[in-house]
Amino acid sequence: MKLKFIYLLSLFFVLNSCKDENEKRLVENKKDALKREVIFSNINKAWVFNANPINETSRSTVLGWNEWRQFLSELDQKPKKTIGAFQKKSAELSKKVMALNSNIPLNFDKPQLKSRIAVLITKVRMLNLYIHLKDIPDQKVVALIPEINIELVSLQNQMDKIVQKSKIPLEEGESELLKMLDTTRAIPNTPQIQPDPNIPRVE
């Protein structure tokens, strides 16, 4: 009888602890779902990119620079419904932004434009990194979006500067001066060895 009572008592404790575990798990799941909902809502509100070209240069570049067109097109399509959709989108943006660096049109293949592309790549890849973390730092994601928009404007303004500068006619003699300043064309500066006057010479 005593053994039966102990058995029933232990069974009661086991069932009770299982019930407590299930309740705890349900509470945790609810908390996680609420947290993910808040994160999704914050990112969804902030996810607004300036994907439209801001000047004539950028508009005409879209026609000739396939990678630039694809990147802007990808930015323009906003994901919907789940955080997973935002994760997929950010991964795709990361791929498209990397492609900008590998196929820059010749007229834009300049250090000042490359540096702006490098900064844009860094920001987009940071966005992709943050959004794929287990605990998504939504405030960091939200803060990065306007920074990416600023870099987009900066890049397009730089494109416009390059085009406007190329339209300015060179003054007379300026092209020769630029050639002289070009270090790749310079004659190597090797010191000439002067003969030692103390060495006897044969005449």
Side-chain angles (χ1 to χ4, degrees):
M1 188 70 184
K2 209 175 194 183
L3 199 64
K4 245 185 190 177
F5 178 72
I6 292 168
Y7 176 74
L8 283 170
L9 195 65
S10 63
L11 187 66
F12 172 75
F13 280 122
V14 167
L15 290 171
N16 204 29
S17 68
C18 283
K19 189 181 173 188
D20 287 349
E21 284 295 315
N22 284 342
E23 281 176 12
K24 277 182 190 174
R25 202 176 300 122
L26 283 169
V27 168
E28 286 297 316
N29 287 347
K30 251 186 191 174
K31 274 185 187 175
D32 280 352
L34 264 168
K35 190 179 175 185
R36 283 180 76 81
E37 215 172 279
V38 168
I39 288 169
F40 171 79
S41 177
N42 290 343
I43 292 171
N44 190 41
K45 275 183 216 162
W47 196 278
V48 180
F49 289 104
N50 300 332
N52 294 323
I54 62 163
N55 53 40
E56 189 51 46
T57 302
S58 185
R59 275 188 286 279
S60 61
T61 305
V62 163
L63 303 171
W65 189 4
N66 193 33
E67 287 76 11
W68 177 242
R69 182 175 64 249
Q70 286 178 356
F71 177 65
L72 289 182
S73 173
E74 199 67 47
L75 270 179
D76 201 32
Q77 299 161 23
K78 186 176 178 177
K80 293 171 184 169
K81 293 182 183 175
T82 64
I83 202 75
F86 282 99
Q87 288 172 330
K88 278 181 189 171
K89 176 58 73 178
S90 65
E92 199 55 42
L93 283 172
S94 191
K95 279 183 205 165
K96 300 282 186 206
V97 79
M98 288 297 289
L100 290 179
N101 212 14
S102 62
N103 200 9
I104 303 170
L106 279 173
N107 57 325
F108 292 133
D109 198 3
K110 310 241 182 286
Q112 57 270 38
L113 194 86
K114 283 182 172 179
S115 66
R116 279 167 178 77
I117 289 172
V119 173
L120 183 63
I121 286 170
T122 303
K123 302 277 183 192
V124 172
R125 293 192 76 190
M126 277 172 68
L127 175 79
N128 186 39
L129 173 77
Y130 288 146
I131 211 162
H132 277 92
L133 292 174
K134 192 176 179 234
D135 292 322
I136 299 168
D138 54 323
Q139 294 310 312
K140 286 184 178 180
V141 171
V142 166
L144 267 171
I145 291 166
E147 288 178 27
I148 290 169
N149 282 328
I150 289 165
E151 295 310 323
L152 281 166
V153 169
S154 174
L155 178 61
Q156 291 176 80
N157 284 337
Q158 188 59 54
M159 284 179 190
D160 198 46
K161 272 185 196 172
I162 290 168
V163 168
Q164 296 311 319
K165 199 173 177 184
S166 70
K167 288 178 182 174
I168 300 169
L170 293 176
E171 289 183 24
E172 196 177 317
E174 192 175 350
S175 61
E176 285 80 18
L177 180 66
L178 288 171
K179 281 180 190 173
M180 285 170 59
L181 292 172
D182 187 1
T183 55
T184 58
R185 296 170 44 92
I187 299 167
N189 191 9
T190 53
Q192 290 185 345
I193 300 167
Q194 295 292 328
D196 189 350
N198 296 329
I199 295 173
R201 290 185 298 167
V202 178
E203 292 192 25

